[in-house]
């Protein structure tokens, strides 16, 4: 029996981690066995295989990952002041994605698991064509990791609706998460939000069978968590 794959995406500072954490806590409280692959990678420095998490009903993952290529992306490749080419950045994300999918996501879905993922192929399709060293959409979708991800597209793509200025205010107010990323500036975030909300991105996924939905980001923390829980209840009847 095939599983269910939900991808959550949006601009930096839009509250994706808040929603993902709310889902994790809500499902655990309801008695579901949850494996947080994000925490696994941070703590162990490598990604689990499907055999490592076979007993879990739900997997919580994120891109870039917190191991191997993903860690290099987070700690080196997209840092301000770096000199990596647009294609190097794009290939890094695509390869990190392919490793995650082949090692864990695809086997988990084939076994009927629920996969909830923060960011993914949608991020690359939005970010890489507008980064300083841009890569065309045609070139992006031809990269093996991206092709593989589109072949295993999410059942639902949930996009965060958020004011770019409000997102930047959130980023500026962070004390525990300073990424110093090339993507965290108002001009880039504004252009990225326009692409996330575009009909072209929606059509790209809908033509592959993905249902595209939108989440009202910018809510106060507790209200955002309740909204996230209500949405998950609608989708899975948990």
């Amino acid at each position: 029996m095939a599983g269910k794959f939900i991808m959550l995406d949006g601009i930096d500072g839009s509250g994706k981690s808040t929603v993902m954490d709310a889902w994790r806590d809500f499902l655990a409280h309801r008695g579901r066995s949850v494996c947080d692959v994000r925490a696994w990678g941070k703590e162990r420095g490598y990604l689990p295989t499907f055999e490592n998490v076979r007993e879990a009903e739900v997997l919580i993952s994120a891109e870039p990952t917190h191991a191997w290529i993903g860690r290099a992306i987070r700690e080196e490749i997209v840092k301000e002041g770096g000199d990596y080419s647009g294609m190097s950045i794009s290939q890094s994300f695509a390869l990190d994605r392919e490793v995650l999918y082949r090692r864990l996501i695809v086997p988990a879905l084939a076994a009927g698991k629920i996969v909830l993922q923060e960011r993914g192929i949608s991020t690359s399709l939005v970010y890489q064509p507008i980064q300083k060293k841009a890569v065309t959409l045609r070139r992006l979708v031809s990269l093996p990791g991206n092709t593989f991800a589109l072949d295993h597209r999410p059942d639902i793509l949930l996009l965060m609706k958020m004011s770019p200025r409000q997102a930047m205010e959130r980023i500026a107010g962070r004390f525990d998460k300073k990424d110093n990323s090339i993507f965290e500036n108002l001009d880039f975030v504004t252009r990225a939000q326009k692409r996330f909300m575009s009909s072209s991105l929606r059509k790209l996924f809908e033509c592959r069978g993905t249902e595209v939905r939108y989440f009202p980001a910018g809510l106060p923390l507790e209200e955002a968590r309740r909204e996230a829980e209500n949405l998950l209840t609608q989708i899975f009847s948990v």
Side-chain angles (χ1 to χ4, degrees):
M1 180 182 67
K4 192 82 168 181
F5 188 10
I6 300 180
M7 187 172 290
L8 175 67
D9 211 344
I11 55 176
D12 294 77
S14 58
K16 297 178 298 300
S17 294
T18 296
V19 172
M20 212 43 89
D21 291 347
W23 284 349
R24 178 199 59 202
D25 298 344
F26 178 68
L27 289 167
H29 182 70
R30 291 296 182 97
R32 295 294 186 99
S33 174
V34 180
C35 176
D36 191 333
V37 179
R38 304 169 303 174
W40 179 295
K42 289 178 183 178
E43 293 166 4
R44 294 172 171 83
Y46 66 91
L47 294 176
T49 65
F50 175 65
E51 290 303 318
N52 294 138
V53 300
R54 179 179 289 277
E55 300 305 313
E57 298 174 80
V58 182
L59 303 182
I60 306 277
S61 63
E63 293 185 27
T65 65
H66 291 273
W68 304 327
I69 308 157
R71 179 164 290 181
I73 291 171
R74 291 175 179 274
E75 296 180 0
E76 169 68 15
I77 295 172
V78 300
K79 289 293 187 182
E80 282 285 1
D83 193 31
Y84 294 90
S85 71
M87 184 52 67
S88 290
I89 293 171
S90 301
Q91 289 172 329
S92 298
F93 277 102
L95 184 55
D96 179 56
R97 181 170 298 130
E98 185 173 4
V99 171
L100 174 65
Y101 274 55
R102 291 189 184 277
R103 185 176 174 90
L104 185 60
I105 301 301
V106 173
L109 291 172
K113 308 295 184 184
I114 294 171
V115 177
L116 306 175
Q117 179 159 300
E118 181 181 342
R119 293 206 180 280
I121 177 61
S122 46
T123 315
S124 284
L125 299 179
V126 167
Y127 278 31
Q128 266 75 75
I130 61 172
Q131 65 189 13
K132 186 175 181 180
K133 301 172 183 178
V135 177
T136 66
L137 194 62
R138 182 184 297 273
R139 186 73 182 91
L140 277 174
V141 298
S142 73
L143 294 175
N146 292 341
T147 300
F148 191 70
L150 287 171
D151 287 342
H152 297 86
R153 84 294 180 283
D155 297 290
I156 297 174
L157 174 61
L158 183 62
L159 299 173
M160 305 291 277
K161 297 185 73 172
M162 163 68 95
S163 157
R165 289 192 178 277
Q166 186 179 2
M168 289 305 301
E169 288 172 2
R170 284 186 174 182
I171 291 170
R174 289 174 177 168
F175 294 101
D176 59 341
K177 187 176 183 291
K178 296 291 186 181
D179 293 337
N180 194 29
S181 166
I182 59 175
F183 305 127
E184 292 185 351
N185 62 78
L186 181 59
D187 177 64
F188 186 90
V189 166
T190 299
R191 288 185 291 146
Q193 181 66 353
K194 184 177 181 179
R195 288 178 65 85
F196 272 123
M197 297 296 109
S198 68
S199 60
S200 58
L201 183 71
R202 184 182 186 113
K203 289 175 183 176
L204 188 151
F205 280 92
E206 286 182 336
C207 75
R208 290 172 168 81
T210 296
E211 179 185 356
V212 179
R213 297 190 184 188
Y214 300 92
F215 186 87
L219 299 171
L221 179 60
E222 288 306 314
E223 191 174 342
R225 290 180 68 92
R226 286 195 299 271
E227 187 72 22
E229 292 169 3
N230 291 338
L231 178 61
L232 204 63
T233 301
Q234 293 172 21
I235 295 171
F236 295 116
S237 299
V238 292

